[in-house]
Amino acid sequence: TGDDPALRIALLNSYGMALVEADRLSEGADMQRRALELAEARAAAAPPDHARVLDTRGWTMTEQGRLEESEPLLQQALALRLRHLGPQHPDVAVVLHNLGKVLFLRRDFEAALVQMRRALEIRVRALGPQHPASADNLNALAVMLCDSGRVHECLGTMRRSVELVEAARGPDDPALVLPLGNLGNTLIREGDFVGAATHLERAMKILSARGEDEGLDAAAILYNLGLLALVRGEAAAAVDPLRRCLKIRTALLEATHVEVGYAASFLAEALLDSGKRAEAAVAARQASEVLAAYPEAAPELAGVRLVEAELLWPRDRKAARSLVEAAAAGLRPEAPDHKGAIEEVAAWLRAHAG
């Protein structure tokens, strides 16, 4: 790169992004950290470079589950781009999209929806509705609509996202994996198990045909396939996809990443329901150690506590009930995504009154 600092920053940043997209998060994060150090040293002279590195560094931290650190970086990138590019520039939409994802993961759904709608509006106006970035934005918005309880609007938006990606890229493009997976997950929650299986299996087929069935996208589809088997009452069938999901996430993410905790939590449930109590205890312990550090994971942590309590019940009923009561105290009735966990905890306490 010679003595050109702008080129050095761009190369480090781009290489870091490529590593992250190849599921090499730690290496990518290190490259972006170096790029950010260089960009901050010349921030006044090159605000666009600084904003770009702030945005990609914030995006990577989000992928690593480091939400408290990623949000300030993205807010700083947004302020710079608004100041230097104006409110309707596509690069502003990129930051709004990333910021919306952080807010969504922190369960601040209303704020997340505001940012994601702003990003979609800019992208549709600047790039057109069929552009991949617009379709990706539409899919992310659909997920947020579902998790904020707006299911009817969510399903229509998700189906539209799949249609746009397929029209733009063809029926076997890997860009379909994310919207297909999200649509499948939503259909599980709506009780359309046949439709969910169709979309999830199609997504897995796309990945397998490309030899990409050991990456994080595959882990997400395996996670949903395991969840589908669980809600169908087929716990034994859920164990293999959830075990594979956990193996992939443990290999590619940090051990404390929230997605590792989610996979371990449902694996623990599947193992318990399959009669594999010793293995369930190991998975539950891993899940609780991870999820306890994430306030936004309270519903999933409550599910883990139910597994732990069920394992503990034969030996110490009082301790088992205390464990579940403590989990109940961490749930919020006003939160739409806590409703299911609240009902499960209440049902367990009623069934274990003795």
Side-chain angles (χ1 to χ4, degrees), residues 139 173-186 188 196-208 212-229 237-238 240-246 248-249 259 263:
N139 181 63
D173 194 277
L176 277 165
V177 170
L178 179 61
L180 285 171
N182 288 335
L183 180 54
N185 178 273
T186 303
I188 291 171
T198 298
H199 295 302
L200 294 173
E201 288 165 4
R202 180 184 174 193
M204 202 66 205
K205 184 178 179 181
I206 291 171
L207 289 170
S208 296
E212 297 176 2
D213 50 0
E214 295 295 331
L216 291 175
D217 287 343
I221 301 302
L222 289 165
Y223 177 87
N224 284 320
L225 286 168
L227 180 60
L228 175 60
D240 180 64
L242 289 170
R243 203 192 297 273
R244 288 175 61 196
C245 170
L246 180 58
I248 293 169
R249 286 179 174 174
E259 297 292 346

Side-chain angles (χ1 to χ4, degrees), residues 22-310:
D23 296 334
R24 295 164 62 181
L25 266 66
S26 296
E27 295 171 81
D30 183 61
M31 286 288 177
Q32 290 175 350
R33 178 188 56 76
R34 291 164 58 191
L36 183 57
E37 289 172 355
L38 291 172
E40 287 179 339
R42 61 192 306 272
D49 289 347
H50 191 204
R52 185 179 305 109
V53 179
L54 285 166
D55 179 46
T56 53
R57 178 70 169 151
W59 168 71
T60 298
M61 285 186 165
T62 304
E63 294 298 304
Q64 291 179 303
R66 297 161 63 182
L67 306 182
E68 296 290 340
E69 297 171 79
S70 66
E71 185 176 353
L73 296 177
L74 294 170
Q75 293 284 11
Q76 192 178 351
L78 178 61
L80 284 170
R81 284 186 169 167
L82 285 171
R83 185 181 310 129
H84 294 280
L85 301 175
Q88 298 302 321
H89 196 282
D91 285 352
V92 170
V94 173
V95 188
L96 289 169
H97 185 140
N98 292 338
L99 184 57
K101 183 176 179 180
V102 172
L103 294 167
F104 168 71
L105 292 172
R106 296 180 67 175
R107 299 297 207 266
D108 189 350
F109 295 132
E110 293 306 315
L113 282 168
V114 169
Q115 304 297 356
M116 202 59 70
R117 289 187 193 278
R118 286 175 63 196
L120 180 61
E121 180 183 349
I122 294 168
R123 281 172 161 163
V124 168
R125 182 183 295 115
L127 306 171
Q130 289 194 316
H131 191 279
S134 299
D136 181 45
N137 210 141
L138 190 66
N139 181 63
L141 175 61
V143 173
M144 294 178 186
L145 289 167
C146 287
D147 280 14
S148 61
R150 298 165 180 156
V151 178
H152 179 72
E153 186 181 359
C154 146
L155 281 172
T157 305
M158 278 191 173
R159 290 191 170 103
R160 179 60 178 156
S161 174
V162 171
E163 290 169 1
L164 287 174
V165 174
E166 190 164 7
R169 299 194 176 191
D172 302 313
D173 194 277
L176 277 165
V177 170
L178 179 61
L180 285 171
N182 288 335
L183 180 54
N185 178 273
T186 303
L187 292 174
I188 291 171
R189 287 185 277 176
E190 291 303 295
D192 182 358
F193 300 151
V194 173
T198 298
H199 295 302
L200 294 173
E201 288 165 4
R202 180 184 174 193
M204 202 66 205
K205 184 178 179 181
I206 291 171
L207 289 170
S208 296
R210 298 173 59 87
E212 297 176 2
D213 50 0
E214 295 295 331
L216 291 175
D217 287 343
I221 301 302
L222 289 165
Y223 177 87
N224 284 320
L225 286 168
L227 180 60
L228 175 60
L230 266 178
V231 298
R232 278 177 155 173
E234 302 167 355
V239 170
D240 180 64
L242 289 170
R243 203 192 297 273
R244 288 175 61 196
C245 170
L246 180 58
K247 180 180 178 182
I248 293 169
R249 286 179 174 174
T250 301
L252 298 177
L253 300 173
E254 294 179 6
T256 57
H257 196 289
V258 68
E259 297 292 346
V260 172
Y262 291 154
S265 69
F266 284 109
L267 176 59
E269 182 180 343
L271 289 166
L272 177 65
D273 292 348
S274 301
K276 300 177 179 180
R277 297 174 69 86
E279 293 178 74
V282 173
R285 184 164 56 252
Q286 180 181 8
S288 64
E289 288 173 355
V290 174
L291 297 178
Y294 294 90
E296 67 273 13
E300 292 78 10
L301 182 59
V304 178
R305 297 304 188 212
L306 292 179
V307 172
E308 292 175 325
E310 196 65 35

Side-chain angles (χ1 to χ4, degrees), residues 305 309 312-313 316-329 348-349:
R305 297 304 188 212
L312 184 59
W313 183 257
D316 190 337
R317 295 188 173 192
K318 183 178 179 180
R321 281 187 61 84
S322 296
L323 198 63
V324 176
E325 288 165 354
W348 191 94
L349 289 170

